[in-house]
Amino acid sequence: MIKNLHKAAIIAGEREVSYDEMFGRINLFARHTPKERGSKTVILSENREGWIYAFFSIWQNRGIAVPVDASSTVHDVAYILRDCTPACIWASREREEVARQAVEEAGVTTDILLIDDYELAPSKDEKEWCGTDNMKEMGDECAMIIYTSGTTGSPKGVMLSYNNMMANIRSVADVVPIFTEDRRVMILLPLHHVLPLMGTVVGPLTRGGGVAICPSMSGPDIMDTLCRGKVAMFIGVPRLWQTLYAGIKKKIDANFMTRALFNVCSAVGSRRLSRFVFKSIHKKMGGHLDYLVSGGAALDAEIGRGLRTLGLDVLEGYGMTETAPIITFTRPDDIIPGCVGLPMPSVECKIVNGELCAKGPNVMLGYYNRPEETAAVIDKDGFLHTGDLARFDEKGRVYITGRSKEIIVLSNGKNVQPSEIEYKIEKYDDKVKEAAVVQHGDMLRCIIVPQEEWARSLSDKEVEEALKREVIEPYNLTVSNYKKLMSVFVYRGELPRTKLDKLQRFKLKELCERKQDADGMETEVQGTEELTEEFCILRDYIEEEKKVQVKPGHHLETDLAFDSLDMVGLQGFIEQTFGITINADAMASFRNVQEIADRIAASSTRKEPERADRPRLLSESTEPLELPVAGLSHRFCAKAFKTFFTVYNRLGIHGAENIPSDGQFIMAANHQSYMDGAIVMAGVPWKVIDNCYFYATEEHVNNSALRALARRHNIILMERRNLKNSILKLAEVLKMGKSIVIFPEGTRSRNGGMTGFKKTFAILSKELGVPVLPVCIKGAYDALPRGTHFYKPAKITVEYLPLMSPEANEDETLFAERVREAIGAKAE
């Protein structure tokens, strides 16, 4: 029951509607809404006061509400009318014509009532409202039909009962007091979706907290509503939080002092300190916000951590229309970015073949008039199969790892989650507005919507070239080969999405086909009428190596996924076949394969195809190459670091018995911080230390003092100008019976997780018969995150796994991935 009927139930601009007045208007609408129990009534309107009155009036009369997207076309509305045959439509005047045309197209007999005629009309002095009593009385009867947003095809009507919704409300209001009479919630998202309907209307209004209606999705309107309504809870979708955080963080990073304060707050992890330091941000957002609530899709953990550093706690939830909508949600005292919390108290969850399944009073009655499709998702034991991949942690919290229906399965058996790649591409937000990954044969392509202001004065070709150079190439350097994007094309429009911002992937193929018909998706060299002999020789070599079709306009890295070892192989092939040497810098500067062929044509002394096979490459002489030699301080430094880590970071060492004491190995470890080199040596026996050589990029050793230090501590520098020499040095060390330490990711983690492994170590292992010692580092990212300089006393563990070697018919790519998966399993 509502304790204070004079309290503002609805705030819309300058207008405030008390609970007293709201109940009266609900009863006014109810006098015109069909009164037959179980009658279906459609609501076709934008968010407004009258939407709320119309909705609750249907429940007042024990009817079934059918909310419909206000922006639906006549055809879309007609589809729903034919499917559910409602007795009545509540429509806004703005949507009246659409409603009338839809009724005519559907061929149904349906009354149309205008919300505008009753929204502000005088109501009788009727103060009682039995809507909540009806919810309890009606129990398992259908309360509303929500049509799915159609991410995979035509929408289905999800039948939700009163008990389905009561289970949700009890969980987040009675068991865990998130919705309370003291917390006002902002209505922002379209109310025809179950998340905003339950979270910003039913939940807050039945628990006495009240709502504030935001007139649009614009920044000024949102800020004005937050302040005017004294909003305590703000429900949104991940893209909204991503945009909010990116805007705030850009301003913070522009100033040294605010950047330093952000790092301090991140390290301390105190909500009170963060809210004090960034109180100006909270004041601009009204100063009353307790929680941001994220739903509809997965929120990237980095965004969650960043917002929490600003003192903005994000409660993540997971669910679907079929569960009205909650399956799991984050408890306010147990917020873990990237985690969607524990199951609802009344819900049982289990994982079947990686898929999350749920059973409880929140699970729908079924799909309207679709018993076969209902049976396909709800099994005989009553478990709803969500279609989402998940895992549990030791406390039963749920982590969503992907969408089974969205996974791209390549011919080599590798699974790719496109949303993971899309998020990484969209981080380049100065040039990328949206991104979508699609499969073409056995390759991945990326549709990119560029930022309008940046791309306005550029042609599609210029935008594409810039995106390849500044977005795709940097991304490809951080992932496994099978996750690399092989081509990109520019789309100047909006990608197809639902109102809750979910990408409608089933429409992307058609979008790609339209784009291909319009201007072609393949990058070709303009004016090339005849393929040269040099190009044909290069093409044949690359196609045999990479198993892809090669076009003259293909870029080595962006289109053909060349990594450093591929570059070395191509350099060797060009040298042996054409008699010329092209260093790595020059190789990377060529815009495409045809330019390389043209350079060869102008300089070559012979044209005899000769394979630069790896055994031959790795057996070349290293006599002119200078190898580093460890000084007396090398062992002592290693042990001194071990002592420091043990005391300061409570270092835990596991699996040290797997380190060969008298044999050689290639140590391959995940890369979390600058300290990883010293960390992985902590468990290495004293007599083995001198025989271990490190592989590091020359950018980290950028002055004479550091280079001298590297030479005395067995550090082999990767020379980007001559990658071949770097690989030969590693091979020479292994042929001498020594061991090497390498971080196959090539760069430190940006978020604590793992990226793709480069296959250098796998090739060396396969060709030289040296086993790999996988090593898992945990906690180093927390001690020294990327972009910070303060080394924190976070607990660190290092675990040495059993030795691994390539199997008989296993290529280096698969072996590298197998090592990565072994380390990744321990890193979780």
Side-chain angles (χ1 to χ4, degrees):
M1 294 295 293
I2 307 301
K3 296 178 182 179
N4 181 7
L5 293 178
H6 298 292
K7 177 182 177 179
I10 302 171
I11 296 176
E14 298 182 358
R15 176 173 161 73
E16 291 192 7
V17 179
S18 69
Y19 272 94
D20 207 16
E21 182 181 350
M22 182 184 76
F23 292 157
R25 293 196 178 280
I26 290 171
N27 286 322
L28 171 63
F29 272 63
R31 291 205 300 274
H32 300 276
T33 297
K35 297 178 177 60
E36 182 182 352
R37 186 166 182 157
S39 292
K40 293 183 285 291
T41 300
V42 163
I43 305 176
L44 181 64
S45 169
E46 63 282 357
N47 291 359
R48 59 191 296 174
E49 291 175 53
W51 201 107
I52 298 171
Y53 306 148
F55 177 78
F56 282 125
S57 76
I58 299 168
W59 283 4
Q60 176 84 328
N61 290 349
R62 297 175 174 84
I64 300 172
V66 186
V68 175
D69 185 356
S71 64
S72 297
T73 65
V74 170
H75 178 72
D76 292 337
V77 177
Y79 170 88
I80 293 174
L81 297 181
R82 280 193 301 268
D83 194 56
C84 71
T85 59
C88 174
I89 300 174
W90 276 110
S92 65
R93 192 174 301 281
E94 184 178 335
R95 306 305 294 166
E96 178 184 8
E97 187 57 31
V98 171
R100 295 194 184 282
Q101 290 182 30
V103 168
E104 182 178 349
E105 181 179 321
V108 297
T109 302
T110 305
D111 294 332
I112 299 175
L113 300 173
L114 292 184
I115 289 174
D116 304 66
D117 291 345
Y118 302 93
E119 187 174 45
L120 300 178
S123 60
K124 292 184 179 180
D125 189 23
E126 301 176 81
K127 306 307 180 188
E128 294 184 4
W129 180 59
C130 58
T132 52
D133 294 333
N134 285 351
M135 291 177 71
K136 298 174 183 177
E137 176 192 331
M138 300 285 279
D140 282 327
E141 292 188 40
C142 184
M144 60 181 172
I145 300 175
I146 300 282
Y147 278 83
T148 57
S149 49
T151 59
T152 57
S154 61
K156 299 183 289 287
V158 177
M159 297 186 292
L160 297 174
S161 71
Y162 289 93
N163 279 345
N164 292 156
M165 289 173 287
M166 289 299 292
N168 274 263
I169 293 171
R170 281 194 294 267
S171 294
V172 294
D174 300 336
V175 180
V176 181
I178 297 174
F179 288 95
T180 69
E181 62 180 9
D182 299 321
R183 290 196 178 113
R184 186 175 303 281
V185 181
M186 182 165 70
I187 296 176
L188 177 68
L189 303 176
L191 293 177
H192 68 279
H193 286 288
V194 70
L195 169 63
L197 175 52
M198 292 296 294
T200 67
V201 174
V202 179
L205 287 175
T206 58
R207 284 303 186 265
V211 300
I213 302 175
C214 187
S216 79
M217 297 283 286
S218 72
D221 279 345
I222 290 174
M223 291 303 177
D224 180 67
T225 304
L226 288 172
C227 296
R228 189 189 300 273
K230 298 181 179 179
V231 171
M233 195 150 58
F234 183 1
I235 297 178
V237 293
R239 188 175 292 271
L240 176 62
W241 308 132
Q242 182 179 339
T243 302
L244 173 68
Y245 176 66
I248 295 174
K249 190 65 165 59
K250 187 171 290 186
K251 292 180 180 178
I252 287 174
D253 288 343
N255 181 277
F256 171 79
M257 183 58 69
T258 52
R259 190 166 63 246
L261 288 172
F262 182 88
N263 291 335
V264 169
C265 289
S266 177
V268 174
S270 166
R271 185 175 190 263
R272 179 175 295 181
L273 175 64
S274 292
R275 290 178 77 89
F276 173 76
V277 171
F278 298 108
K279 60 183 177 182
S280 62
I281 293 174
H282 290 264
K283 187 175 181 181
K284 289 178 182 177
M285 299 178 75
H288 297 273
L289 268 180
D290 288 330
Y291 303 117
L292 306 179
V293 178
S294 183
L299 177 69
D300 188 87
E302 182 181 335
I303 303 297
R305 280 192 291 267
L307 289 169
R308 196 168 194 196
T309 298
L310 297 171
L312 296 167
D313 284 345
V314 182
L315 302 182
E316 292 186 63
Y318 166 75
M320 47 201 309
T321 304
E322 288 84 344
T323 54
I326 305 173
I327 294 176
T328 72
F329 66 95
T330 299
R331 277 48 169 181
D333 60 350
D334 187 34
I335 298 175
I336 302 175
C339 173
V340 294
L342 292 164
M344 274 173 48
S346 56
V347 171
E348 178 185 355
C349 287
K350 66 178 181 179
I351 292 178
V352 179
N353 296 325
E355 180 186 16
L356 183 66
C357 300
K359 177 182 180 180
N362 60 332
V363 175
M364 67 174 178
L365 299 174
Y367 295 120
Y368 185 71
N369 282 340
R370 299 194 184 192
E372 291 182 0
E373 294 188 40
T374 301
V377 297
I378 302 178
D379 64 28
K380 58 182 176 60
D381 296 321
F383 277 93
L384 174 73
H385 290 247
T386 66
D388 287 308
L389 306 176
R391 65 177 178 86
F392 296 125
D393 69 9
E394 67 282 356
K395 293 187 178 180
R397 303 185 192 93
V398 177
Y399 293 77
I400 302 300
T401 58
R403 178 76 178 160
S404 61
K405 292 181 181 179
E406 293 181 355
I407 287 178
I408 295 173
V409 182
L410 303 175
S411 63
N412 60 7
K414 294 299 183 182
N415 294 336
V416 177
Q417 187 62 245
S419 58
E420 172 192 334
I421 299 175
E422 288 155 3
Y423 175 73
K424 291 180 179 179
I425 296 301
E426 288 174 357
K427 281 188 176 181
Y428 298 88
D429 59 359
D430 58 331
K431 291 181 173 60
V432 178
K433 181 180 179 182
E434 294 184 86
V437 174
V438 295
Q439 183 178 11
H440 181 73
D442 205 33
M443 298 190 304
L444 298 178
R445 284 176 164 169
C446 191
I447 306 168
I448 293 183
V449 178
Q451 289 290 0
E452 185 177 351
E453 185 175 346
W454 167 68
R456 185 179 295 115
S457 61
L458 302 175
S459 68
D460 281 4
K461 184 68 175 177
E462 290 170 327
V463 171
E464 181 181 305
E465 290 298 325
L467 290 173
K468 282 184 178 182
R469 184 176 60 254
E470 300 175 38
V471 176
I472 304 301
E473 289 178 20
Y475 161 78
N476 280 347
L477 290 174
T478 68
V479 297
S480 301
N481 279 348
Y482 73 93
K483 289 185 179 180
K484 290 186 176 181
L485 297 171
M486 305 300 283
S487 67
V488 59
F489 68 89
V490 177
Y491 181 68
R492 298 186 191 248
E494 297 291 333
L495 296 180
R497 293 182 180 274
T498 70
K499 289 300 174 60
L500 286 192
D501 211 42
K502 292 182 181 179
L503 197 59
Q504 294 178 302
R505 296 189 183 277
F506 71 98
K507 294 182 179 179
L508 293 178
K509 183 178 180 180
E510 180 185 351
L511 185 150
C512 289
E513 290 172 350
R514 291 202 310 267
K515 178 71 174 176
Q516 186 171 358
D517 290 341
D519 55 15
M521 287 186 60
E522 298 293 349
T523 305
E524 299 287 357
V525 176
Q526 299 298 318
T528 302
E529 298 179 357
E530 185 177 340
L531 300 178
T532 64
E533 182 181 359
E534 289 80 7
F535 170 78
C536 291
I537 294 173
L538 281 180
R539 179 198 60 196
D540 293 346
Y541 166 80
I542 296 171
E543 287 185 349
E544 185 177 350
E545 283 291 305
K546 303 298 292 182
K547 311 302 182 195
V548 296
Q549 185 180 14
V550 177
K551 300 286 187 179
H554 279 164
H555 187 276
L556 290 179
E557 293 178 344
T558 304
D559 297 315
L560 301 174
F562 263 55
D563 61 16
S564 57
L565 256 294
D566 294 324
M567 289 288 194
V568 170
L570 181 58
Q571 283 178 282
F573 172 77
I574 291 172
E575 184 175 343
Q576 294 163 33
T577 303
F578 300 104
I580 65 171
T581 299
I582 302 177
N583 64 34
D585 279 355
M587 193 76 75
S589 69
F590 290 113
R591 292 182 300 175
N592 50 58
V593 178
Q594 184 63 57
E595 282 197 1
I596 301 175
D598 292 343
R599 166 69 180 277
I600 291 170
S603 310
S604 66
T605 59
R606 62 177 183 270
K607 297 176 184 177
E608 300 172 2
E610 182 178 347
R611 291 199 55 77
D613 58 282
R614 288 180 178 129
R616 176 175 175 177
L617 174 66
L618 297 179
S619 66
E620 289 187 17
S621 172
T622 59
E623 188 174 341
L625 304 180
E626 181 184 356
L627 294 177
V629 179
L632 293 175
S633 63
H634 185 54
R635 294 188 193 178
F636 292 100
C637 285
K639 293 306 176 183
F641 271 117
K642 176 182 178 181
T643 302
F644 170 76
F645 294 138
T646 301
V647 174
Y648 190 71
N649 297 106
R650 295 160 289 148
L651 178 67
I653 299 175
H654 308 288
E657 66 276 8
N658 291 319
I659 304 174
S661 59
D662 54 1
Q664 64 177 159
F665 52 84
I666 299 172
M667 184 186 291
N670 59 317
H671 202 1
Q672 293 197 333
S673 77
Y674 274 132
M675 305 300 288
D676 291 349
I679 290 170
V680 296
M681 297 305 291
V684 176
W686 178 269
K687 65 178 183 178
V688 178
I689 292 176
D690 278 353
N691 289 329
C692 292
Y693 283 73
F694 294 85
Y695 188 43
T697 57
E698 59 187 351
E699 288 88 350
H700 294 152
V701 187
N702 51 16
N703 60 56
S704 57
L706 288 176
R707 285 193 290 272
L709 191 64
R711 285 194 296 271
R712 304 302 295 170
H713 288 274
N714 284 1
I715 297 176
I716 297 174
L717 298 183
M718 184 185 79
E719 304 171 45
R720 294 201 185 276
R721 291 178 176 273
N722 199 330
L723 292 170
K724 181 178 174 182
N725 276 1
S726 301
I727 305 302
L728 286 175
K729 287 181 183 179
L730 292 177
E732 182 65 20
V733 167
L734 293 173
K735 285 186 285 187
M736 292 166 57
K738 309 292 186 180
S739 299
I740 61 173
V741 179
I742 191 168
F743 297 97
E745 291 167 283
T747 185
R748 289 169 294 135
S749 173
R750 293 185 177 275
N751 57 14
M754 290 173 60
T755 59
F757 274 20
K758 301 181 188 305
K759 59 187 178 184
T760 303
F761 78 98
I763 292 173
L764 292 170
S765 173
K766 185 176 178 68
E767 300 296 345
L768 300 179
V770 180
V772 171
L773 177 67
V775 180
C776 177
I777 301 171
K778 294 175 67 174
Y781 179 83
D782 297 324
L784 189 62
R786 194 182 184 108
T788 63
H789 302 287
F790 176 71
Y791 188 70
K792 295 178 285 188
K795 179 173 176 55
I796 296 175
T797 61
V798 57
E799 182 170 1
Y800 304 90
L801 309 184
L803 292 172
M804 298 176 65
S805 296
E807 296 176 356
N809 297 318
E810 185 177 34
D811 67 24
E812 58 271 8
T813 301
L814 293 177
F815 178 50
E817 186 60 23
R818 187 156 62 90
V819 173
R820 181 185 181 278
E821 289 174 355
I823 296 172
K826 294 293 183 179
E828 292 181 353

